[in-house]
Amino acid sequence: LAKTTQPISMDSYEGQEVNITCSHNNIATNDYITWYQQFPSQGPRFIIQGYKTKVTNEVASLFIPADRKSSTLSLPRVSLSDTAVYYCLVGDMRLTGGGNKLTFGTGTQLKVEL
Amino acid sequence: DTAVSQTPKYLVTQMGNDKSIKCEQNLGHDTMYWYKQDSKKFLKIMFSYNNKELIINETVPNRFSPKSPDKAHLNLHINSLELGDSAVYFCASSPEDQDEKLFFGSGTQLSVL
C-alpha cells in the first residue's frame, strides 16, 4: 500500500478556498486516490476519488498531476461546517470482495474560523 | 433511516470483562468492516467480511472475534478487555466493485477502566 503524507493541521477563514495536499511518492499504477472527511464523533465520509488529472463533484475538486506522486483536495469557499479531519488514501481499486486494506493516516485537521 | 448503525455508542467497562458491539447496514452491501481509531486519530482496519466470509484479519489479537450472521450484520466480540483496547470502533460497509467507497457508522467509544 502506498504511504501518504499530509499536513497535520490547517487553519482557514470562512469564504476562503482551502487546498490540502497529500504526497504519495510510491503510488502504484493501479492505485486510486480517495479522500474522506471526518467530523467529531462521526465516522469518516467519502468525499471524492480520482486516478489522474482533475475530478470535481458538488463538494470538492481533486487535482492530480501527471506523475501522480501527489494530489490536492480543493474545498471552495469553506464554511464553519467544513471544520473536520480530511484523510487521503491510496489503494488498488481492482481488489473487490472486501480485499482492500484501506488504512487511514492521521489526516489533516482543518479548522475554519469566522 | 441510518445506513450503518452500531450499538452501543458508548461502552465503559472494567478490565477483564467481555463485551460485544453490534453493527447493521441496510444498504445491501456485501462487504463489511471493523476499524479501530486510537487516541491519535489513526484509523486502522481490523477485519473485513464479504457475504459472511472473513476476508481480512489484520493481526488483531484472538480476543477479538467478529461474527457475521448474515451479510447485513457484523458484530464484534471482545474477550478479556485490556486498557489498550480503549478506542473508538467503527463499523463500515462498501458496495460491490467499489471497496474504496466506505460507509461508516457513527462509532462506539470503548473505555476500559
Side-chain angles (χ1 to χ4, degrees):
Chain A
L1 294 172
K3 185 177 180 244
T4 60
T5 303
Q6 51 185 123
I8 293 174
S9 64
M10 293 182 72
D11 294 329
S12 184
Y13 294 96
E14 275 203 317
Q16 290 190 331
E17 178 185 76
V18 171
N19 296 309
I20 305 174
T21 298
C22 179
S23 297
H24 27 80
N25 291 320
N26 297 325
I27 190 168
T29 303
N30 295 315
D31 285 345
Y32 276 68
I33 300 153
T34 311
W35 285 80
Y36 279 79
Q37 173 192 57
Q38 185 178 23
F39 297 113
S41 302
Q42 292 186 30
R45 182 177 72 109
F46 175 92
I47 301 177
I48 197 167
Q49 181 191 78
Y51 183 80
K52 61 180 179 180
T53 63
K54 177 184 174 183
V55 180
T56 297
N57 62 22
E58 65 278 4
V59 177
S61 293
L62 179 59
F63 298 91
I64 305 168
D67 66 7
R68 304 202 324 124
K69 292 184 183 300
S70 66
S71 58
T72 299
L73 176 73
S74 181
L75 305 171
R77 295 182 296 283
V78 294
S79 63
L80 293 175
S81 63
D82 292 316
T83 294
V85 178
Y86 292 82
Y87 296 95
C88 165
L89 287 81
V90 174
D92 186 347
M93 296 306 121
R94 294 176 308 167
L95 298 176
T96 59
N100 270 315
K101 297 182 181 181
L102 289 179
T103 295
F104 294 66
T106 52
T108 298
Q109 171 68 63
L110 172 64
K111 183 179 179 183
V112 181
E113 299 175 288
L114 288 173
Chain B
D1 286 343
T2 304
V4 180
S5 60
Q6 51 183 112
T7 55
K9 188 166 178 63
Y10 300 98
L11 189 51
V12 181
T13 188
Q14 300 285 334
M15 266 198 316
N17 284 350
D18 303 337
K19 290 294 178 185
S20 293
I21 307 172
K22 295 184 177 180
C23 179
E24 176 182 4
Q25 53 96 3
N26 62 6
L27 298 167
H29 293 165
D30 286 336
T31 307
M32 295 185 72
Y33 310 79
W34 277 107
Y35 276 80
K36 177 181 180 182
Q37 188 167 44
D38 60 26
S39 57
K40 296 184 179 178
K41 304 300 182 185
F42 188 69
L43 187 61
K44 188 174 180 182
I45 190 169
M46 299 173 67
F47 299 102
S48 163
Y49 268 73
N50 181 264
N51 206 9
K52 302 192 299 176
E53 182 182 343
L54 179 65
I55 303 297
I56 295 172
N57 181 341
E58 280 294 287
T59 60
V60 177
N62 291 336
R63 298 182 296 104
F64 291 79
S65 53
K67 282 191 171 45
S68 182
D70 55 63
K71 74 174 192 177
H73 295 83
L74 181 61
N75 304 322
L76 183 65
H77 187 76
I78 314 170
N79 290 325
S80 304
L81 278 157
E82 301 177 356
L83 293 177
D85 297 332
S86 295
V88 181
Y89 292 84
F90 287 98
C91 176
S93 69
S94 62
E96 185 76 19
D97 296 332
Q98 272 194 297
D99 285 343
E100 76 288 356
K101 194 166 184 177
L102 299 165
F103 292 76
F104 282 85
S106 57
T108 296
Q109 171 78 61
L110 172 64
S111 299
V112 182
L113 307 178

